[in-house]
C-alpha cells in the first residue's frame, strides 16, 4: 500500500511529488500518455520565476521530475480507469499496473485540448488538424496555416507558427480578442499574421493529401468564406480530465474539481486536487506548482492524522 499516489505529471503533480518525497512518504506518481502535461507542448516559458532568460517547457518539466526522483519519488506509466473512494484505503484500477491501494490520492490530471466539433475536424487530425503547435509546427514549413481561437494560447501558437509558416491566419469568432494585451501587441507586430476576426469556423476542408482550408461564416455579412491553408491549429481552450473519477468527487458544471477554499481538499477526505484540474481562474505553471505544494502538505497532514490522531489539531 502506498501512503500517497499522485495521478498526473504536470507542474502540480511534480511539485506535490517533490514535497512528499522530501517528507519521506515515497509517493508513487502515475504518468499518463503525455508525461509532463501541457508544458511539454509549449515552447519557451518566460514567466516561471527563477529563469531570467526563460526556459523551454519540456526542460522545466524534466528538471522537476529529476528533482522528485532525487528524493525517492517513484514513477510508473499507466492509465487510471477508476477510483473507489467508498472505503479506505482508496483503490485505483490502473491499466498496465492493476489494482493499487493508497491512503491518500492527489489528483493533478490537468486539462485536455478542446476541439471545435465541426465537420472534417476529427477526420483530419494528423492530416493537417492539430492542437499542438510545438509538436506539429515543423511539418508546415513554408506553408499557410490557420490558428483558431482568441485567447493567449491561440496567439502564442500563432506567433510560434510564424517560425515555420509563410502565413498564419488567426480565425476568431468575435471582433474582440480574449488574449492579454502583451500577447496581442506581440502578434499584431508580426507581419506574417493575418486576422480573420468575427468568423465562426464551419468546416475543415480537405483533399487526398490532407487539409486544404477552413470554411468560416463571416458574422458581419453572414457570408460563407473559404480560407485556404494546409494546417488548422485549434487553440480554443481545454477541458479538465476528471472522467475517471466517475462522479465520486464533486466538480463544477464544467467538470473542474471543487476544492475547499484556500486548500486542496476535495469533498472526500484524503483526496486532494491541484493544478488545472481544479483551476478555472489562473491556470499558470506557477500557480499549478503552488497548488501542488498545498496538496502535498494537506496530504502529509492527513497521513499524520491517521497515524497519530491525537497529535493533529
Ligand atoms: P481561453 O482563454 O479560454 O480562450 C479560448 C478561446 O477560444 C477564446 O477566445 C474563445 O472564444 C475561443 N473558443 C472557445 N470555444 C470555441 C469554439 N467552439 N469555437 C470557436 N472559438 C472558440 O483558453 P486559452 O487561450 O487556452 O488560455 C487558457 C488560460 O491559459 C488563460 O488563462 C490564459 O491566459 C493562459 N495562457 C497563458 C499563456 C501565457 O501567459 N504565456 C499562454 C497560453 C495560455 P471567446 O473569446 O469568444 O470565448
Amino acid at each position: 500500500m502506498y501512503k500517497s499516489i499522485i495521478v498526473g505529471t504536470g507542474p502540480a503533480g511534480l511539485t506535490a511529488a517533490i514535497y512528499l518525497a522530501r517528507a519521506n512518504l515515497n509517493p508513487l506518481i502515475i504518468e499518463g500518455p503525455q508525461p509532463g502535461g501541457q508544458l511539454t507542448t509549449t515552447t519557451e516559458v518566460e514567466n516561471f520565476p527563477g529563469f531570467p532568460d526563460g526556459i523551454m517547457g519540456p526542460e522545466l518539466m524534466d528538471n522537476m521530475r529529476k528533482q522528485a526522483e532525487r528524493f525517492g519519488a517513484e514513477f510508473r506509466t499507466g492509465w487510471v480507469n477508476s477510483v473507489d473512494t467508498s472505503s479506505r484505503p482508496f483503490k485505483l484500477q490502473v491499466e498496465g499496473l492493476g489494482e493499487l491501494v493508497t491512503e491518500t490520492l492527489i489528483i493533478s490530471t490537468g486539462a485536455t485540448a478542446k476541439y471545435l466539433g465541426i465537420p472534417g475536424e476529427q477526420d483530419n487530425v494528423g492530416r493537417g488538424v492539430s492542437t499542438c503547435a510545438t509538436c506539429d509546427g515543423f511539418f508546415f514549413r513554408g506553408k499557410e496555416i490557420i490558428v483558431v481561437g482568441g485567447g493567449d494560447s491561440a496567439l502564442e501558437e500563432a506567433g510560434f507558427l510564424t517560425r515555420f509558416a509563410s502565413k498564419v491566419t488567426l480565425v476568431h469568432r468575435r471582433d474582440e480578442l480574449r488574449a492579454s494585451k502583451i500577447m496581442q501587441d506581440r502578434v499584431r507586430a508580426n507581419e506574417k499574421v493575418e486576422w480573420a476576426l468575427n468568423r465562426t469556423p464551419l468546416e475543415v476542408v480537405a483533399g487526398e493529401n490532407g487539409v486544404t482550408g477552413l470554411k468560416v461564416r463571416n458574422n458581419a455579412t453572414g457570408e460563407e468564406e473559404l480560407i485556404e491553408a494546409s494546417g488548422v491549429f485549434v487553440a480554443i481552450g481545454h477541458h479538465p480530465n476528471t472522467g475517471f473519477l466517475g462522479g465520486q468527487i464533486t466538480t463544477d458544471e464544467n467538470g473542474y474539481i471543487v476544492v475547499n477554499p484556500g486548500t486542496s481538499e476535495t469533498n472526500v477526505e484524503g483526496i486532494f486536487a491541484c493544478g488545472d484540474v481544479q483551476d478555472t481562474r489562473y491556470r499558470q505553471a506557477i500557480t499549478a506548482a503552488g497548488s501542488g505544494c498545498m496538496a502535498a502538505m494537506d496530504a502529509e497532514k492527513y497521513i499524520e492524522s491517521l497515524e497519530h490522531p491525537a497529535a493533529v489539531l
Side-chain angles (χ1 to χ4, degrees):
M1 180 175 73
Y2 289 91
K3 287 202 180 300
S4 196
I5 289 183
I6 299 167
V7 188
T9 53
L14 291 178
T15 303
I18 292 166
Y19 272 76
L20 286 175
R22 286 192 78 253
N24 264 343
L25 292 169
N26 306 317
L28 170 69
I29 299 94
I30 302 179
E31 292 187 299
Q34 193 190 339
Q38 292 174 57
L39 272 195
T40 57
T41 66
T42 193
T43 49
E44 195 161 358
V45 181
E46 292 178 335
N47 52 10
F48 200 91
F51 299 93
D53 302 321
I55 181 165
M56 298 306 280
E59 191 185 348
L60 179 61
M61 299 323 300
D62 202 39
N63 287 347
M64 285 191 197
R65 187 192 159 118
K66 283 184 188 144
Q67 199 173 345
E69 279 177 324
R70 180 178 152 214
F71 297 110
E74 180 188 349
F75 286 80
R76 294 174 78 185
T77 302
W79 182 259
V80 182
N81 284 325
S82 64
V83 178
D84 180 0
T85 66
S86 62
S87 60
R88 281 143 217 275
F90 305 115
K91 291 190 190 75
L92 278 67
Q93 302 302 329
V94 188
E95 207 168 301
L97 301 176
E99 182 172 280
L100 299 176
V101 180
T102 183
E103 280 180 5
T104 62
L105 176 65
I106 293 182
I107 305 163
S108 51
T109 42
T112 300
K114 280 186 193 164
Y115 283 93
L116 292 158
I118 56 173
E121 185 184 43
Q122 286 306 316
D123 306 341
N124 289 297
V125 171
R127 299 179 74 242
V129 173
S130 172
T131 55
C132 177
T134 330
C135 319
D136 300 327
F138 190 73
F139 300 121
F140 296 89
R141 274 167 299 166
K143 298 192 173 155
E144 298 190 353
I145 297 178
I146 289 166
V147 173
V148 182
D152 281 328
S153 296
L155 269 68
E156 189 175 62
E157 299 230 329
F160 173 72
L161 287 166
T162 58
R163 294 186 195 184
F164 311 99
S166 55
K167 181 174 97 177
V168 173
T169 305
L170 195 113
V171 173
H172 178 42
R173 62 185 177 184
R174 292 186 297 133
D175 257 338
E176 231 170 83
L177 296 164
R178 183 180 292 273
S180 56
K181 189 171 178 307
I182 184 172
M183 204 69 99
Q184 291 194 34
D185 290 348
R186 202 177 286 179
V187 177
R188 283 192 195 283
N190 189 327
E191 286 173 0
K192 276 191 174 179
V193 177
E194 282 194 6
W195 301 85
L197 299 182
N198 213 4
R199 299 320 198 265
T200 300
L202 298 175
E203 182 185 349
V204 175
V205 182
E208 258 179 31
N209 297 322
V211 169
T212 55
L214 181 70
K215 202 184 279 178
V216 298
R217 184 178 53 246
N218 181 329
N219 295 325
T221 64
E223 303 274 299
E224 284 189 12
E225 298 168 357
L226 177 70
I227 304 172
E228 288 184 4
S230 313
V232 174
F233 284 79
V234 181
I236 61 167
H238 294 79
H239 61 77
N241 298 318
T242 47
F244 70 101
L245 298 169
Q248 298 168 96
I249 304 290
T250 304
T251 62
D252 68 11
E253 67 279 9
N254 295 316
Y256 285 89
I257 293 177
V258 176
V259 291
N260 290 334
T263 76
S264 67
E265 298 161 2
T266 69
N267 62 307
V268 177
E269 240 184 281
I271 300 189
F272 307 91
C274 50
D276 282 12
V277 75
Q278 52 83 57
D279 182 1
T280 54
R281 182 171 177 146
Y282 300 105
R283 297 184 282 199
Q284 300 298 302
I286 187 67
T287 51
S291 70
C293 163
M294 289 164 66
M297 292 177 77
D298 289 341
E300 206 182 321
K301 195 169 167 194
Y302 176 79
I303 293 166
E304 180 73 11
S305 76
L306 295 178
E307 289 168 6
H308 307 286
V312 176
L313 292 176

